[in-house]
Amino acid sequence: MNHSRRDFLHKFALSSLALPILPSFATEHTRWLRTQPQGPVLRVALLGLGGYAKRVADAMNACQRAKITGLISGTPSKLQTWGELYHVAEKNRYTYADIDDLKNNPDIDAVYVLTPNALHHEHVIRAAKAGKHVICEKPMAVGVREGKEMVAACASAGVKLLIGYRMRFEPNTLDVVRRRMEGTLGPINFFQGQCGFKIGDPNQWRLDKQLAGGGALMDIGIYAINGARYMVGEDPIWVTAQETKTDFNKFKDGVDETIQFQLGFPSGAVASCLSTYAMNFLDRFYLNGEKGFAELWPATGYGPIKGKTNTGTLTFPHIAHQTIQMDEMARILLDGAVPTLAVDGQVGLQDLQIIEAIYQACQTGRRQDIDFS
């Protein structure tokens, strides 16, 4: 690992703070990651105990600045099982009906909302009114109006709202960002983002318009949208898009199967992206500049992320993304740290504004200007 990359992680990727390191990564190449500044621990309640929440919970076992101190679920048996597994006191286990009671619990600093998309709005606002910082999974809501209300509610309550954009903390991703920021790739011309997989169970909530707010674009295409923004280093000003649907039984009205979309940026750079629930082996980012290129493939999966540039292979070791994310979010919430790539509610709201413009472009067949007001 060269010194420039090492310095970058210390200076940019982790807000001048070193990453936590799992024992299995204790090698010569990663030993420098062990240095961990001391500080208070973020006490987190997980709201919604589904499959992704389990991944977050397991990854948090390796965190040094964040730990699980609360659980919120509509399923009593989950509260019992998870409480025993993650050593959460019974007094810190809540049902959805009890969210408002969090205001009386000093053992919890923040609530991580991990429920289906359509429930984020209610859960974020209730957690904020209870005086807790909020971390919300992406997409932050099913529409712009709800997103704005969530941002406003957190501001009114005097708490912070962060969105679970784990890739904005991932070391290989941040090394590409560093290269772009330093100008080693030259002016950026083009970004390509391919995000997709074949979705399974046709009865799952991700294929329910009322719970998901859409289809593949809301779930997986958002990675290409968000990735285009941090890879290019600009926010898009227009979009064109085309929708393709081959399975009308699985993908009902309002649930997109495949969307191709193109973004235009103020500098003149353009992006070409694909979002789909119908094809596997699509997890690739490619960034083209006048002096070089960068590629991440896989780019957004749970890892390991692999990458290369015109000067060689990216070699940062894999650490569970959620481990890095939660330790870094602890620094944001408790220390006031400023991350290289923002993960606040405004970033999540802007993604929703882009998503709405993409859907509008699909419906009208016309280019849409993107309104961030």
Side-chain angles (χ1 to χ4, degrees):
M1 180 178 296
N2 61 46
H3 289 288
S4 65
R5 293 183 184 178
R6 181 179 306 176
D7 293 343
F8 168 64
L9 276 190
H10 282 293
K11 183 176 180 181
F12 292 104
L14 299 168
S15 307
S16 302
L17 300 169
L19 287 170
I21 182 67
L22 302 178
S24 61
F25 294 108
T27 65
E28 286 296 325
H29 293 290
T30 61
R31 191 163 290 145
W32 61 276
L33 289 171
R34 293 178 183 172
T35 304
Q36 184 70 22
Q38 298 301 307
V41 171
L42 182 70
R43 299 165 298 179
V44 181
L46 302 182
L47 193 164
L49 306 182
Y52 188 68
K54 183 65 166 59
R55 184 177 292 274
V56 170
D58 289 343
M60 286 183 67
N61 284 329
C63 286
Q64 297 188 29
R65 293 290 304 276
K67 69 176 181 179
I68 301 168
T69 59
L71 298 169
I72 307 165
S73 174
T75 307
S77 60
K78 284 187 177 181
L79 290 172
Q80 178 72 22
T81 301
W82 284 55
E84 294 173 357
L85 182 61
Y86 298 106
H87 309 291
V88 175
E90 190 168 354
K91 68 182 180 66
N92 291 345
R93 304 174 197 170
Y94 296 83
T95 68
Y96 294 144
D98 301 329
I99 294 174
D100 307 320
D101 295 339
L102 289 169
K103 64 179 178 293
N104 301 316
N105 193 331
D107 296 339
I108 296 170
D109 302 310
V111 175
Y112 195 158
V113 175
L114 295 144
T115 45
N117 304 342
L119 304 180
H120 292 177
H121 176 259
E122 175 192 348
H123 292 156
V124 166
I125 290 176
R126 290 178 67 188
K129 288 183 176 179
K132 307 302 178 183
H133 297 302
V134 189
I135 302 167
C136 180
E137 254 315 299
K138 60 82 191 162
M140 66 181 289
V142 295
V144 171
R145 179 187 58 79
E146 287 192 354
K148 288 181 176 180
E149 290 173 355
M150 293 157 70
V151 170
C154 289
S156 177
V159 300
K160 294 180 181 178
L161 171 60
L162 305 180
I163 311 301
Y165 289 127
R166 57 187 167 83
M167 301 315 301
R168 287 182 167 235
F169 301 105
E170 197 279 320
N172 292 287
T173 301
L174 285 169
D175 190 47
V176 174
V177 173
R178 188 261 310 175
R179 292 166 187 265
R180 188 257 301 157
M181 291 172 66
E182 291 181 348
T184 58
L185 300 177
I188 300 302
N189 297 318
F190 175 73
F191 170 80
Q192 183 180 58
Q194 299 174 342
C195 297
F197 62 90
K198 284 188 176 181
I199 199 163
D201 180 8
N203 298 314
Q204 63 181 282
W205 71 263
R206 288 178 176 83
L207 296 177
D208 183 337
K209 165 69 172 175
Q210 297 306 310
L211 286 175
L217 188 66
M218 298 290 285
D219 181 38
I220 193 72
I222 193 172
Y223 285 106
I225 293 169
N226 197 261
R229 298 174 63 195
Y230 60 71
M231 295 288 269
V232 174
E234 299 179 75
D235 288 329
I237 56 176
W238 60 259
V239 62
T240 55
Q242 307 80 39
E243 181 177 4
T244 303
K245 187 175 292 189
T246 62
D247 188 339
F248 292 87
N249 291 320
K250 179 179 285 188
F251 303 100
K252 309 295 185 184
D253 287 345
V255 179
D256 49 286
E257 176 185 336
T258 300
I259 292 179
Q260 298 178 74
F261 59 94
Q262 303 78 40
L263 302 169
F265 298 86
S267 66
V270 293
S272 176
C273 301
L274 173 66
S275 165
T276 185
Y277 270 158
M279 292 174 266
N280 286 326
F281 313 114
L282 289 175
D283 184 9
R284 177 177 179 267
F285 283 179
Y286 176 79
L287 186 66
N288 176 271
E290 290 187 6
K291 296 181 180 179
F293 75 89
E295 180 180 42
L296 296 171
W297 193 6
T300 65
Y302 295 135
I305 301 302
K306 296 181 180 180
K308 63 181 180 181
T309 73
N310 54 293
T311 60
T313 302
L314 303 181
T315 58
F316 289 107
H318 173 66
I319 303 169
H321 299 167
Q322 297 80 7
T323 301
I324 302 174
Q325 171 194 327
M326 294 308 295
D327 269 337
E328 288 307 301
M329 286 186 167
R331 297 189 183 103
I332 294 170
L333 295 176
L334 299 178
D335 304 344
V338 178
T340 302
L341 298 174
V343 291
D344 56 44
Q346 192 62 32
V347 174
L349 175 59
Q350 289 166 335
D351 279 348
L352 290 178
Q353 290 166 322
I354 297 169
I355 286 173
E356 287 198 356
I358 291 173
Y359 281 138
Q360 187 68 15
C362 287
Q363 293 169 7
T364 64
R366 297 193 299 271
R367 183 174 117 167
Q368 300 294 312
D369 293 333
I370 299 174
D371 180 8
F372 288 118
S373 63

